[in-house]
Amino acid sequence: MRPSARAPYWVVGLVGLLALLWTVPVLGIFITSVRPYSETAMGWWRVDEVTFTLSAWKTVWSKYPLAEGLAASLKITLASTALTVALSPAAAYAFHYLKFPFRRVSLIVLVNAFVLPQQVIVIPLFTLWRQFGLIDNVWAVILPYVGMSFAWSVFLAKNFLDDFPGELIEAAKVDGCGPIATYFFVVLPNSLTSLAAMAILQFLWAWNSLLIPLLFLRTDEPMPVLLSRIAGTYEPNLDQQSAVAILTMVVPLVVFLALQRHFVAGGLSRMGLKG
């Protein structure tokens, strides 16, 4: 077997330096959350006086409904991610393999919706949700998350299907599979790469989104909304904001690390190694 080429030392050093720079803000947030604000007001890196305390963590946990916020974020994000992963590959499969009127025009319109900013749709959505009585309902947030994700998620899944092995589709037709059976038993099990990427991107976007839940929710407020409410009027409360920011970052990080392994499994399945 031919040995793999070793990366130059300067490339390794440059990547390591960039990784270190990316971790510095996270380190600063953590240090700010475990030190009194009086010590970090002029910068978290100052070591004139160093005192470690969990008072900020205790304050935010007792003063703000963080448990309810985490539950609300999980409920909204998991629902929108599950619906996106369930519906987008099916739509991409229909656009790629099935023949129906205005297929190309519909795909162009759908993909072009990606350039539509959230700020443009919030007023029509608010009017619509008020008429349907969905204000302060989690579905007022979940449905826009799913709808606005179709533009990029369908495009992502269709690009994956462009390189999908046609031999598997032909073999399924020879075995008597119709379009629906081919999708569920051939295409879907061999599309783990696109599904994992779609799930990660949708989870991160839905978890960190602020505008839509801030406008439509009053009780089940997710973590980004709670984080925006912690800043005091006359004091910054940077230590408390840092504590909540860490709690907000932990869940997406765990999800990313958990789904990352499916990229390798999806790459193997694309070669037809999974039936």
Side-chain angles (χ1 to χ4, degrees):
M1 182 179 295
R2 187 176 180 179
S4 57
R6 185 181 181 90
Y9 289 107
W10 69 268
V11 174
V12 177
L14 179 61
V15 172
L17 178 60
L18 292 176
L20 180 62
L21 292 177
W22 275 103
T23 59
V24 168
V26 179
L27 178 62
I29 293 175
F30 176 76
I31 293 177
T32 303
S33 69
V34 295
R35 294 179 61 186
Y37 175 70
S38 59
E39 295 182 3
T40 59
M42 301 301 295
W44 61 267
W45 54 86
R46 297 179 65 92
V47 293
D48 303 338
E49 182 180 358
V50 178
T51 305
F52 294 104
T53 177
L54 296 178
S55 60
W57 291 80
K58 296 177 182 178
T59 300
V60 295
W61 193 262
S62 60
K63 187 177 180 180
Y64 299 96
L66 295 185
E68 293 80 358
L70 286 171
S73 290
L74 285 174
K75 179 168 56 177
I76 294 171
T77 306
L78 290 177
S80 61
T81 302
L83 289 174
T84 300
V85 173
L87 298 177
S88 297
Y93 174 80
F95 280 119
H96 193 78
Y97 290 108
L98 304 184
K99 306 294 183 182
F100 55 89
F102 305 107
R103 181 185 63 168
R104 183 174 296 275
V105 175
S106 301
L107 180 61
I108 293 174
V109 172
L110 181 65
V111 172
N112 284 338
F114 183 68
V115 302
L116 191 66
Q118 295 184 25
Q119 294 82 353
V120 175
I121 67 171
V122 290
I123 295 179
L125 267 182
F126 189 88
T127 303
L128 182 65
W129 292 158
R130 185 174 56 185
Q131 293 176 353
F132 282 93
L134 288 179
I135 298 297
D136 199 18
N137 190 309
V138 292
W139 287 105
V141 177
I142 294 173
L143 293 179
Y145 282 173
V146 177
M148 288 187 294
S149 68
F150 275 168
W152 63 264
S153 59
V154 172
F155 183 72
L156 175 66
K158 190 178 183 306
N159 281 348
F160 176 84
L161 292 178
D162 289 339
D163 297 327
F164 193 83
E167 296 81 3
L168 297 179
I169 304 296
E170 296 299 326
K173 292 181 180 179
V174 171
D175 291 339
C177 292
I180 297 179
T182 301
Y183 171 72
F184 280 105
F185 296 108
V186 177
V187 176
L188 200 59
N190 290 283
S191 302
L192 295 181
T193 299
S194 62
L195 293 180
M198 190 184 304
I200 291 175
L201 294 175
Q202 176 68 4
F203 192 97
L204 295 177
W205 175 65
W207 182 275
N208 294 317
S209 182
L210 172 64
L211 178 61
I212 292 180
L214 182 64
L215 294 176
F216 296 150
L217 296 181
R218 303 294 181 269
T219 53
D220 289 333
E221 294 181 333
M223 293 299 293
V225 177
L226 290 178
L227 179 58
S228 68
R229 300 189 187 282
I230 289 177
T233 305
Y234 301 105
E235 56 179 344
N237 292 335
L238 293 181
D239 52 345
Q240 299 178 21
Q241 292 185 60
S242 299
V244 179
I246 292 175
L247 291 176
T248 306
M249 290 188 298
V250 167
V251 175
L253 179 62
V254 171
V255 170
F256 176 80
L257 294 177
L259 292 180
Q260 167 176 263
R261 61 187 179 89
H262 290 288
F263 283 100
V264 177
L268 295 177
S269 66
R270 287 184 64 181
M271 297 186 293
L273 298 180
K274 184 176 289 189

